[in-house]
Structures are given as structure tokens and as C-alpha cells.
Amino acid sequence: MTETIATDYLVLGSGISGLYFALNAAEHGKVTIVTKRKVRDSNTNWAQGGIAAVLGEDDSVDDHVADTLVVGDGLCDEEVVRITIAEGIGHVHRLVELGTRFAREDDGSFELTREGGHNKRRVAHYQDITGAEIQRALHEAVEKHPNISILEEHIAIDLLSRAKFGSETGCFGAFVLDNKSGNVKAIYAKATILATGGAGKVYVYTSNPDVATGDGIAMAYRIGANVSNMEFVQFHPTVLFHPHAKSFLISEALRGEGGILKLRDGSTFMENYHPLKSLGPRDVVARAIDNELKKSGEPSVHLDMTHLDDDFVRERFPNIARRCAELGIDITKTPIPVVPAAHYQCGGIEVDHNGQTSVPHLFAIGEVAWTGLHGACRLASNSLLEGLVFASRAADVVKDINDPLPQGEAQWLSGDATDSDDAIVVSLNWDEIRRLMWSYVGIVRSNKRLERARRRIELLRNEIREYYWDFKVSADMIELRNLALVAHLIIESASRRRESRGLHYTLDFPEKSDTVENTVLHKSDGPSPR
Ligand code: SIN
């Protein structure tokens, strides 16, 4: 029998959006947070640069909106941009009230840095570990709250659909696998909130932690939610290039403080690509580096900080300086070898202004969601802000959901065979998906490459499908199945966009089209959900 747990609000994921939602919603009911490893295993915890907000005296909501719209390349929803930027300021102050530390000027005001695409200094930060600091403060607040409970080492398998109980469609919780015991539980909830983050692991080179396997997007698509603009994958221009450095980001704030991108022979190149040079928008900088690497055949370019004051660099970027030093690079003396890598999923589950998806009682907040803020390319450090604003808005509306939960037990049914080949199937398929996505659906795309990717992902998904339903469910198989579906959604969305815009660049349609459209996928006319 499947164990059943009832709660008011089920939150899947424990980054900034999930924790902030929990704190707000706990004022109205019981919250259960499910996270597949430890609470700290989130993209938020890895965010280095900071949180963009109108906090400086020379800045304004209009200026921040303007920069966001330019970088978003015609696909931002301006109303959402205004809402996020205007409301976000108050939430940054709330983070401070909750105990988050930010770097301060001598007069106590926020010390603000700059990142690519921003025409003003507006990124509040704590050293170069802003995300970890926010995560710490929120986690401490959540742990103290009597209405919030946390289930670590539990991974959601699939969402529970009311349709199975003969009533209207909608979601009422999730099946969850307890990683330690291997038992599957059904968690019933009045509202289910996906805060599962992005899908960087779909690419072989990424700045994301191992947990970023697109679980929320895959589950939402399977239950029937619309998923939008998945072709817009942001490649961060500067991830450390070193055989022993796994997914280590070199924050854009280094360029914000004067770091210069150079070729390995010491010459600069960004002046040939954008007036803001090394601080141009990410899509432009990542494509420029990709182009230079293809021309030169070199494995990386350099980010040079050696002309800046040594003490300033060490004090401002202690975490990056320490990690590079461990690998034998003194960033005050030697340029840092860097390459682009998958960093952020700009598309996601389509939501309204309150994080409500197209499936009743199912919400999505943070990177997993597509709100319309980021358009075709995300302005640096706007995402933590979006997480706060939509978490708070969603918490405000879920309190009005009072529909009774379905009567009856949700039974988890799957194969119960175990197989010693499990690990091989997972690791081979995992590796193949990530490499094919990098080669065929990366920074520069074409019809031929996308077609090759489509053929391969269909074969891989067939193999995964057979295996998945015959064998006992495991966390690795759940992630692989989700990763494969998300890869398929990216390929499909990229194939449907017959233009180059923002982060999507294809050799077959290098120009922007006059019509501006979102790519919306639904299981009725998109890739198979299973
Ligand atoms: C960075 O520190 O460069 C990342 C900031 C972001 O992705 O918003």
C-alpha cells in the first residue's frame, strides 16, 4: 500500500523560491517542502553574482525595465517586467529583515556591482557567494517556523491528477520516492508548488549543480501544463576551464569590476562584437567566445583581472580566488581560462502573474517557470528577484484554495524487477543526451543539427521508457527520464522557432522575424509526455 501524507501546500524544491514561498504561505496553513537531496542542494546556493534591484540613488524602475527589455530581445512581457522590478525592491529589504547579509558602503547603503547588459550598478551582493548567503538566511527562518516541515532525500516522481478520480482536471500533490527507504509516498495537497529550478544538466558543460535535471518541467508537461520558450537556454560566457574544475562559475561580476576577456595570445576581441565589450549581454558574449574558439581552435579564452588591485580582487572575490588558487591559478597574477557553459533555462512552465500554471492548483515559481520576465535572454541577476516576487504572489493566492482533496487512495504502480544493468543504462543514456545536446542544440544551431538531435532523442527515450516501467523506480531513473523529456522539449521548441532571437541562434534563419511569438508546447501537440 502507498503511504499517504496530507498537507496544505506541497513545495517541490528548496532554493530561493521554494523557501520564500514556504515562509509566506506558512502564515495560512501547513507547508511541506520536498527536496531531492539536502536543502542546500539548489541552484540558488551556487549563485555568485547577486540580486538585481533598484537600490541605488541614480537608478530607477524605468531604467531597470529598459535594460531588461533590451536584453530580452522583444520577447519580454513588459507588464511582468514592471511588476517584478517594482515589487522586487521590497522583497530585497525583507531578505535583510530575515537576516541576509549584503555588502555595504561606509554609509550603510548597499554596495552595488554591475553585470552584463546593465547600464547601472544595481546588483546587490554578499562577497561572491550571494546565493549561499540568501539560502542560509531563508533556511534558518524556515527551520524555525512551526508550520513548515522538510523532507530531504525525497524526489518527486509524478504529480497527482484529479482526473484519475473522475473529477475535474487539476493537481492535488505528488508521488514521492523516499531515496533512503525506497518507499513511494503520496503527498496530498490543496496546492502544489513547483520550485525545482532549471535543467542545466541537460548539457555536458554547465555551471549548474547535479540536481538541475528539469524535474519540474517534465512533471508539469506530463500532467498537461503548457511549457513555453524552451529554446532559450542561457549559456554563461565564463565557466572555469580546468580538467579538475566541475561546473565552477566565474561570475560576471568580475567583468563588472573591470575584468577583460582576451584571447590566449593576450589580444582583446569583444570590441568586434558589442559596444559594451566584455560586459555585453550574455548571448552576445557567449556567441563571440564560441566563434573565437572555433576560429582559433584553442580550448578556452582568458578573463584577465591582473591589471586590477590585488587586495581588491582577493577581498571582493574570495570564493573564486580560493577555488582558482586550489587549482594553481592566482587570479591576481594569471588570466583565468574560461569557456561558455549552459547556465539558465529562460523558458519553462507557463504561468500567470501569480505563478498559476495552466493546470488548476499547480503553481510554478523560479527558474522552472516562464513568467515572461526574461524574454529571449535573461538580464544577469534578475532571476533571484523573480523568484522572490512570484513566490510571494503565489503564497498570496493559494490561501484562497479550499477545494476538498479527492477521497480515495492514490496507488503507485510500477515494475518491481531490479537489474544490475541499471547503473550502466543510466550513465550511458545520461552521457549521450548531454553530449548530443551540446553538439547539436548548443550556442549555434541549424536545421540539420536539430534534426539529428531529434532522431537520437527519440531512440533514447524509447529505450528509457521500456526500462522505466519494467523496473523498480530509482532516483537516477527518475532524473534520466525527466532529463530526456526536457531535452526533447528544447529540441522541439528550437525546431519550431524559424528565426534567430536572443539566446536562440540558427544558421538557417540568422535574422529576427518581424512577428514576435512565444513557442508554447502542450502534450497534445508536442513530444510524447511519457
Ligand atoms: C554570475 O554571477 O555571473 C551569475 C549571475 C546570474 O546568472 O544572474
Side-chain angles (χ1 to χ4, degrees):
M1 231 184 62
T2 308
E3 181 190 343
T4 302
I5 300 169
T7 188
D8 292 316
Y9 311 119
L10 171 62
V11 181
L12 303 176
S14 57
I16 186 169
S17 319
L19 298 182
Y20 198 59
F21 171 88
L23 281 173
N24 286 289
E27 301 309 310
H28 318 294
K30 257 172 54 186
V31 182
T32 303
I33 300 175
V34 164
T35 187
K36 62 184 179 175
R37 306 234 172 122
K38 301 288 179 219
V39 168
R40 65 173 174 275
D41 290 308
S42 70
N43 252 334
T44 300
N45 205 29
W46 284 36
Q48 296 179 351
I51 182 161
V54 181
L55 299 164
E57 283 190 354
D58 66 336
D59 203 1
S60 70
V61 169
D62 284 342
D63 287 346
H64 191 173
V65 168
D67 287 349
T68 303
L69 294 179
V70 168
V71 171
D73 207 7
L75 261 191
C76 297
D77 177 332
E78 187 166 345
E79 198 185 342
V80 168
V81 176
R82 279 200 178 274
I83 289 173
T84 310
I85 289 171
E87 292 182 10
I89 305 163
H91 292 296
V92 175
H93 289 293
R94 172 98 197 279
L95 282 183
V96 174
E97 284 159 28
L98 287 166
T100 310
R101 292 167 293 175
F102 285 99
R104 300 285 180 168
E105 300 289 357
D106 292 341
D107 65 1
S109 59
F110 285 92
E111 180 190 289
L112 301 171
T113 190
R114 248 184 99 187
E115 290 180 8
H118 289 275
N119 280 296
K120 291 269 166 64
R121 284 189 166 259
R122 66 166 70 95
V123 180
H125 68 97
Y126 179 70
Q127 300 176 354
D128 53 355
I129 49 166
T130 315
E133 174 58 13
I134 295 173
Q135 180 93 24
R136 177 200 63 75
L138 291 179
H139 189 180
E140 282 176 17
V142 157
E143 277 194 318
K144 282 187 212 135
H145 204 296
N147 262 356
I148 305 176
S149 49
I150 304 176
L151 290 174
E152 291 187 321
E153 305 286 352
H154 281 66
I155 179 169
I157 306 172
D158 259 319
L159 298 168
L160 293 167
S161 167
R162 284 174 186 260
K164 293 228 166 67
F165 287 84
S167 60
E168 85 281 24
T169 58
C171 174
F172 68 97
F175 280 124
V176 164
L177 172 72
D178 177 341
N179 287 340
K180 290 212 170 116
S181 69
N183 292 336
V184 174
K185 302 168 185 174
I187 305 186
Y188 285 24
K190 290 195 278 192
T192 305
I193 291 79
L194 296 168
T196 47
K201 295 303 277 189
V202 93
Y203 287 93
V204 69
Y205 302 112
T206 177
S207 63
N208 289 185
D210 288 346
V211 292
T213 52
D215 304 329
I217 295 172
M219 287 189 287
Y221 182 77
R222 285 196 290 267
I223 202 178
N226 289 341
V227 171
S228 290
N229 290 348
M230 291 294 290
E231 65 274 38
F232 297 115
V233 177
Q234 186 164 62
F235 291 84
H236 196 291
T238 58
V239 170
L240 182 60
F241 176 76
H242 189 282
H244 300 129
K246 189 184 163 209
S247 313
F248 190 73
L249 185 71
I250 303 295
S251 174
E252 203 154 280
L254 275 78
R255 280 174 282 137
E257 298 296 353
I260 300 171
L261 284 167
K262 294 183 175 170
L263 299 178
R264 280 157 72 114
D265 66 7
S267 57
T268 58
F269 59 95
M270 275 312 301
E271 61 276 14
N272 304 324
Y273 294 92
H274 198 275
L276 288 171
K277 299 182 190 165
S278 293
L279 259 194
R282 279 196 192 158
D283 54 332
V284 178
V285 181
R287 256 196 315 276
I289 295 175
D290 186 65
N291 191 36
E292 292 297 331
L293 295 181
K294 282 187 177 128
K295 277 200 305 197
S296 65
E298 298 282 5
S300 67
V301 294
H302 280 156
L303 177 59
D304 193 357
M305 302 290 287
T306 59
H307 54 290
L308 301 171
D309 180 72
D310 291 6
D311 290 339
F312 166 73
V313 170
R314 281 196 209 99
E315 273 163 33
R316 174 66 183 82
F317 302 108
N319 181 47
I320 292 172
R322 189 182 322 113
R323 181 68 188 126
C324 288
E326 283 165 10
L327 297 167
I329 304 163
D330 176 349
I331 66 171
T332 64
K333 303 275 177 296
T334 319
I336 311 166
V338 290
V339 285
H343 181 62
Y344 194 88
Q345 179 68 57
C346 289
I349 306 160
E350 189 182 287
V351 293
D352 70 8
H353 292 180
N354 298 316
Q356 168 71 63
T357 70
S358 53
V359 172
H361 306 166
L362 179 65
F363 292 76
I365 49 178
E367 187 173 351
V368 73
W370 176 77
T371 61
L373 172 69
H374 305 311
C377 182
R378 178 182 65 107
L379 182 66
S381 287
N382 263 358
S383 38
L384 293 176
L385 196 71
E386 182 191 45
L388 292 174
V389 170
F390 282 82
S392 158
R393 286 182 150 247
D396 257 5
V397 296
V398 293
K399 63 177 189 294
D400 298 325
I401 300 177
N402 281 310
D403 306 2
L405 291 170
Q407 296 298 307
E409 276 168 17
Q411 286 298 331
W412 170 251
L413 298 172
S414 83
D416 57 4
T418 46
D419 188 345
S420 56
D421 278 352
D422 192 347
I424 296 171
V425 172
V426 171
S427 73
L428 284 183
N429 284 320
W430 178 271
D431 206 48
E432 195 173 337
I433 292 169
R434 299 181 67 208
R435 284 185 190 283
L436 82 86
M437 290 299 287
W438 186 259
S439 307
Y440 298 143
V441 203
I443 297 174
V444 176
R445 299 160 181 176
S446 72
N447 287 349
K448 202 158 121 192
R449 290 176 196 170
L450 291 174
E451 200 36 49
R452 283 192 182 136
R454 182 200 305 281
R455 282 202 300 272
R456 281 172 170 71
I457 199 70
E458 280 171 358
L459 288 174
L460 286 164
R461 288 194 67 210
N462 283 340
E463 191 173 315
I464 294 166
R465 205 171 283 131
E466 278 168 29
Y467 199 91
Y468 182 84
W469 291 106
D470 286 346
F471 292 90
K472 203 169 161 57
V473 69
S474 69
D476 286 348
M477 277 308 287
I478 292 167
E479 288 187 338
L480 176 64
R481 176 181 182 233
N482 291 336
L483 194 84
L485 173 52
V486 170
H488 205 165
L489 296 174
I490 296 172
I491 296 166
E492 178 66 25
S493 301
S495 310
R496 289 191 189 190
R497 185 164 293 280
R498 302 176 85 74
E499 62 164 349
S500 290
R501 180 185 296 276
L503 296 159
H504 175 71
Y505 181 77
T506 164
L507 297 171
D508 291 295
F509 306 101
E511 302 301 327
K512 230 180 290 189
S513 149
D514 294 337
T515 29
V516 185
E517 276 172 12
N518 295 311
T519 313
V520 184
L521 298 180
H522 182 263
K523 65 177 179 177
S524 57
D525 67 349
S528 163
R530 289 183 51 91

